[in-house]
């Protein structure tokens, strides 16, 4: 008779791995959420000048957020810069991406390589270089110089994102539009542009997030103009006001709502396509 084989240790190893990986994920998730939770909780702090020590619960900071006028001015400047730079960078980047994929011209490879330099260059170097250029040109630093600087470094991210989308398009779809006697503008707006729209929207959202969040390049090129990240940095020494925590919490929850709406819309569209199919 043959003796029974010893029990395999494979199951125990898998069991340990299956237990350790979820634990690691939970710890990492909690660690990432601690600053967000702190920001949200202290947005209800009944603080006066400093928002470091908990003094009591209140809704006043949410109801009267613009009583701290500097916070709202800085936030408004960030919105203006982010929207303007995003629109400009998205338009320029989309045109550049289409040209790089669809057309052959001299120095095409060199241009593609140069577009990656702002992404690879440290922000300190990029911000200092732009500040020197504005100083040499005699341009006064302010809201306009921030918009120009943000547009310049956001264009590269738009080109990379939209270029990937253009590369996946089937030229037969555009040829079908031309076969149906569509003019070049009609083919672009009715066939090409709708197919590119998801990539363009993704590039625009990425550009806005990068612009709204940027501090280093902004600090070099803003002069006396304040943006929300710059205001947070300056206020950090004495304790960020609760009003700033209110705005940061509102932006976070607004982003979560947008993601949920996007996911729900995608799920609804998938179900409709399954029913039709």
């Amino acid at each position: 008779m043959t003796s029974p084989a010893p029990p395999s240790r494979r199951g125990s190893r898998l069991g340990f791995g299956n237990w350790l990986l979820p634990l690691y994920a939970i710890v990492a998730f909690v660690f990432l959420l601690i600053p967000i939770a702190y920001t949200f909780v202290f947005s209800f702090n009944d603080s006066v000048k400093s928002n470091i020590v908990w003094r009591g619960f209140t809704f006043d900071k949410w109801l009267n957020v613009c009583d701290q006028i500097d916070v709202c001015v800085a936030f408004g400047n960030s919105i203006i810069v982010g929207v303007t730079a995003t629109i400009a960078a998205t338009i320029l980047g989309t045109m550049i991406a289409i040209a790089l994929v669809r057309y052959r011209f001299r120095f095409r490879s060199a241009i593609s390589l140069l577009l990656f330099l702002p992404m690879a260059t440290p922000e300190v170097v990029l911000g200092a270089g732009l500040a020197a250029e504005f100083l040499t040109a005699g341009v006064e630093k302010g809201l306009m110089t921030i918009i120009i600087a943000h547009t310049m470094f956001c264009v590269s991210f738009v080109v990379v994102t939209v270029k990937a989308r253009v590369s996946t398009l089937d030229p037969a779809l555009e040829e079908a539009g031309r076969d149906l006697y569509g003019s070049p503008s009609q083919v672009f707006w009715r066939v090409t542009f709708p197919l590119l729209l998801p990539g363009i929207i993704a590039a625009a959202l990425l550009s806005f997030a990068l612009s709204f969040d940027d501090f280093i390049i902004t600090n070099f090129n803003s002069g006396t103009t304040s943006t929300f990240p710059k205001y947070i940095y300056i206020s950090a020494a004495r304790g960020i006001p609760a009003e700033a925590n209110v705005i940061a919490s509102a932006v976070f929850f607004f982003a979560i709502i947008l993601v949920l709406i996007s996911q729900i819309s995608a799920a609804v569209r998938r179900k409709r396509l399954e029913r039709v199919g």
Side-chain angles (χ1 to χ4, degrees), residues 158-232:
V158 175
V159 171
V160 171
T161 305
V162 178
K163 186 180 176 182
R165 183 66 178 176
V166 177
S167 301
T168 61
L169 293 185
D170 187 359
L173 297 174
E174 295 170 298
E175 293 174 3
R178 288 190 288 269
D179 291 340
L180 294 172
Y181 304 101
S183 64
S185 61
Q186 288 176 328
V187 172
F188 176 79
W189 289 112
R190 297 189 179 186
V191 179
T192 308
F193 183 74
L195 294 173
L196 292 179
L197 192 57
I200 294 173
I201 292 175
L205 292 175
L206 177 61
S207 296
F208 181 80
L210 291 170
S211 175
F212 185 85
D213 186 56
D214 181 77
F215 166 74
I216 298 176
I217 295 176
T218 302
N219 195 43
F220 275 103
N221 298 279
S222 59
T224 58
T225 303
S226 179
T227 61
F228 193 64
K230 185 178 177 181
Y231 178 85
I232 295 296

Side-chain angles (χ1 to χ4, degrees), residues 12 64 72 75 80 128 130 140 148 153 157 174 181 188 192 205 215 217 273:
S12 60
N64 304 297
C72 289
F75 179 72
I80 293 172
L130 288 171
E140 184 178 357
I148 294 172
F153 81 82
F157 293 92
E174 295 170 298
Y181 304 101
F188 176 79
T192 308
L205 292 175
F215 166 74
I217 295 176
L273 290 174

Side-chain angles (χ1 to χ4, degrees), residues 55-104:
R55 298 181 182 276
F57 184 88
T58 181
F59 281 109
D60 290 342
K61 306 302 180 181
W62 282 82
L63 299 176
N64 304 297
V65 63
C66 282
D67 283 352
Q68 191 80 16
I69 189 64
D70 293 341
V71 178
C72 289
V73 170
F75 179 72
N77 288 338
S78 289
I79 293 295
I80 293 172
V81 171
V83 171
T84 307
T86 295
I87 293 173
T90 302
I91 294 173
L92 292 173
T94 300
M95 292 191 293
I96 294 171
I98 294 174
L100 289 175
V101 175
R102 293 295 179 86
Y103 299 97
R104 299 290 183 269

Side-chain angles (χ1 to χ4, degrees), residues 128-141 145 220-221:
L130 288 171
E133 291 294 330
F134 288 135
L135 182 63
T136 303
V139 179
E140 184 178 357
K141 295 180 182 179
T145 55
F220 275 103
N221 298 279

